């Protein structure tokens, strides 16, 4: 199982977000679907898959092999599904961070504005999906605000937002926000369905609890497989020692994104087990260091050496 199968437009099954999907599909049938929507949730929760399913539901209503609303499933033979999959649907426009770029650029928003100003194919609904909306820079955000404030017939804009990131209130206040969330039990249920197996067969139960989305489980399994690591042998402390010793935070994008989350969990566990002045001091010290390292782009190497020496080996 590869992470791309979980999060991209090829995922034909939707798991775990039935209530919100039914709410939005009902609003559409009543002609009350908001024109500007923010879908917020932790990374890997299924925001991308959810969006493609909602768009396919609407695009395919009058097509053959239309969306299966009972089983929340896209038909792989549906015309709109395959057009969107191949980036060739005339009424769908996608914005995401370009390769080797850090932000969504203003030129991308300008292309989107041109898309909005054109006549839609067969006068049907048009959808714009903006992934990683928190990566809009100042110029691209200002350009987007203009199009958000202007009414366009049959144009719907869906912004995908990482709930751990922030977006300016000037944009969020103009959209209706829906939060996608799965509790631990739901996450396990979803990942078991996606992988068609029991995830506890691959991950130690003492490590299993430190994830908050199905996507994280899939990425962890992929990481372990690529590096020939048996996750049944690792609790959180042992796993952190492995990551730091082998500098996986330098080699693997997934580990680089989430290693600080592991550290925060580990520190919080220490604090819960021993709420002494020393532990409280260390907790605050390293949480502050993590914040400053992200804010000022400080050296990772020295941070991990200090954390390993002071905490893991202390």
């Amino acid at each position: 199982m590869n992470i791309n199968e979980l999060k991209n437009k090829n995922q034909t099954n939707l798991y775990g977000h039935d209530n919100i999907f039914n709410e939005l599909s009902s609003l559409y049938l009543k002609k009350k679907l908001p024109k500007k929507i923010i879908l917020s949730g932790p990374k890997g929760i299924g925001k991308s898959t959810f969006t493609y399913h909602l768009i396919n539901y609407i695009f395919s209503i009058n097509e053959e092999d239309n969306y299966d609303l009972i089983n929340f499933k896209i038909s792989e033979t549906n015309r709109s599904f395959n057009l969107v999959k191949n980036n060739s649907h005339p009424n769908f426009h996608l914005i995401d961070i370009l390769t080797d770029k850090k932000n969504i650029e203003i030129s991308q928003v300008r292309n989107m504005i041109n898309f909005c100003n054109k006549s839609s194919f067969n006068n049907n609904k048009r959808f714009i999906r903006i992934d990683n909306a928190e990566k809009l820079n100042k110029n691209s955000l200002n350009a987007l605000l203009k199009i958000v404030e202007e009414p366009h017939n049959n144009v719907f804009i869906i912004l995908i937002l990482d709930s751990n990131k922030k977006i300016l209130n000037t944009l969020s206040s103009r959209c209706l926000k829906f939060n996608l969330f799965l509790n631990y039990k739901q996450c396990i249920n979803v990942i078991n369905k996606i992988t068609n197996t029991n995830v506890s067969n691959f991950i130690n139960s003492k490590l299993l609890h430190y994830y908050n989305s199905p996507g994280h489980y899939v990425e962890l399994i992929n990481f372990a497989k690529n590096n020939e690591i048996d996750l049944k042998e690792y609790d959180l402390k042992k796993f952190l020692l492995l990551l730091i010793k082998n500098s996986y935070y330098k080699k693997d994008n997934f580990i680089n994104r989430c290693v600080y989350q592991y550290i925060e969990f580990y520190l919080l566990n220490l604090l819960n087990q021993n709420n002494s002045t020393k532990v409280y001091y260390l907790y605050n010290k390293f949480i502050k260091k993590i914040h400053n390292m992200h804010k000022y782009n400080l050296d990772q190497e020295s941070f991990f050496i200090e954390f390993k020496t002071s905490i893991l080996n202390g």
Side-chain angles (χ1 to χ4, degrees), residues 179-193:
N179 297 309
L180 299 190
F181 170 80
L182 297 172
N183 60 35
Y184 172 75
K185 185 176 180 179
Q186 290 170 326
C187 279
I188 296 299
N189 183 50
V190 169
I191 189 58
N192 287 346
K193 288 181 179 179

Side-chain angles (χ1 to χ4, degrees), residues 41-87:
K43 188 174 179 62
I45 203 70
K47 302 183 296 293
S48 297
T49 297
F50 184 96
T51 305
Y52 282 117
H53 275 250
L54 179 64
I55 291 171
N56 182 260
Y57 165 73
I58 293 171
F59 278 165
S60 70
I61 281 180
N62 296 316
E63 296 178 342
E64 293 183 1
D65 303 318
N66 57 9
Y67 190 81
D68 182 351
L69 193 55
I70 296 176
N71 297 304
F72 302 98
K73 184 175 178 61
I74 296 174
S75 171
E76 294 186 16
T77 58
N78 175 253
R79 177 178 178 274
S80 283
F81 166 71
N82 285 290
L83 287 174
V84 170
K85 178 180 176 180
N86 296 321
N87 295 318

Side-chain angles (χ1 to χ4, degrees), residues 132 229 236 297:
N132 296 298
I229 298 170
L236 185 57
N297 197 27

Side-chain angles (χ1 to χ4, degrees), residues 123-185:
N123 293 316
N124 287 333
K125 304 290 186 294
R126 288 181 291 172
F127 280 87
I128 297 165
R129 174 188 139 154
I130 303 178
D131 211 349
N132 296 298
E134 67 275 5
K135 295 296 185 178
L136 288 159
N137 62 31
K138 182 179 179 180
N139 291 330
S140 58
L141 178 61
N142 288 335
L144 178 61
L145 283 173
K146 294 179 181 179
I147 197 68
V148 167
E149 292 170 349
E150 296 173 0
H152 284 78
N153 289 333
N154 291 334
V155 175
F156 295 83
I157 301 175
I158 302 178
L159 298 100
I160 309 297
L161 176 66
D162 185 342
S163 57
N164 294 317
K165 308 293 183 180
K166 292 183 179 180
I167 194 169
L168 290 181
N169 187 57
T170 50
L171 179 59
S172 62
S173 63
R174 289 164 171 78
C175 306
L176 191 62
K177 188 175 181 181
F178 293 86
N179 297 309
L180 299 190
F181 170 80
L182 297 172
N183 60 35
Y184 172 75
K185 185 176 180 179

